[in-house]
Amino acid sequence: SKAVEEEEILPEVAFSFDFPALPITLDSAAVAGPGLVLELDSNALAQAMAAQGYLPGQLMGVSINKATLYWSGPVGGTYNSVQSVALLLGAGDAAPVTVASMDPVPVGAQTLLLPLAGAEVLQLLQGDHPRISFRMQFDGPMPQSGHLLVLGARVGVKP
């Protein structure tokens, strides 16, 4: 009898990491228009891969799995004057993709855990100058204030 050799199909393995936190200064006058654009650390993905012991050729896909906006100052501030928030990831000339959004924003919130769109963003992260566009709509004035944006990603790799 002949033994049939079958190639074993290995399941994708995944790990998560956080990008370095992005400090943001916001006020309703500055953000209402086209929004704020933040450069993403384009080395963060490669560093996370290396820290997990993976090589670049093992990379299968990346999706944003965390988008949290923290109010950092002045103390006691809330997002009450914010109606909606949207985060879009873009690179080079590629059309930006929505990765997280919230509408309406809950009253009294000092931290926003933005619901995720689940978009595949590997090509954008490997593109020219990956960046996050930060768009807000306000239903009242918001004084200048400090915030931290923490993005996390799920990385799929070939074992």
Side-chain angles (χ1 to χ4, degrees):
S1 69
K2 287 185 185 174
V4 179
E5 284 187 33
E6 288 186 35
E7 187 181 333
E8 188 180 355
I9 297 172
L10 296 169
E12 181 181 277
V13 178
F15 69 90
S16 292
F17 79 99
D18 287 353
F19 287 91
L22 296 165
I24 305 172
T25 300
L26 291 176
D27 67 60
S28 48
V31 190
L36 204 65
V37 176
L38 308 165
E39 291 288 322
L40 264 187
D41 180 355
S42 54
N43 297 319
L45 176 58
Q47 290 165 352
M49 292 274 295
Q52 295 286 332
Y54 294 109
L55 299 170
Q58 292 175 276
L59 185 56
M60 300 284 288
V62 181
S63 58
I64 300 297
N65 68 356
K66 180 194 330 185
T68 307
L69 188 62
Y70 297 95
W71 184 284
S72 56
V75 174
T78 67
Y79 290 103
N80 284 358
S81 57
V82 178
Q83 167 62 36
S84 67
V85 181
L87 297 180
L88 295 87
L89 181 62
D93 297 329
V97 173
T98 299
V99 292
S101 60
M102 178 180 276
D103 185 4
V105 168
V107 173
Q110 292 183 304
T111 300
L112 301 180
L113 301 167
L114 302 176
L116 301 161
E120 169 57 46
V121 296
L122 173 58
Q123 285 186 316
L124 291 170
L125 289 176
Q126 291 178 328
D128 189 27
H129 296 299
R131 60 195 175 271
I132 286 284
S133 297
F134 195 86
R135 297 184 185 157
M136 285 184 149
Q137 290 186 322
F138 297 90
D139 45 22
M142 179 170 155
Q144 187 168 322
S145 49
H147 310 265
L148 273 181
L149 175 64
V150 176
L151 293 175
R154 178 190 181 277
V155 182
V157 289
K158 285 185 279 201

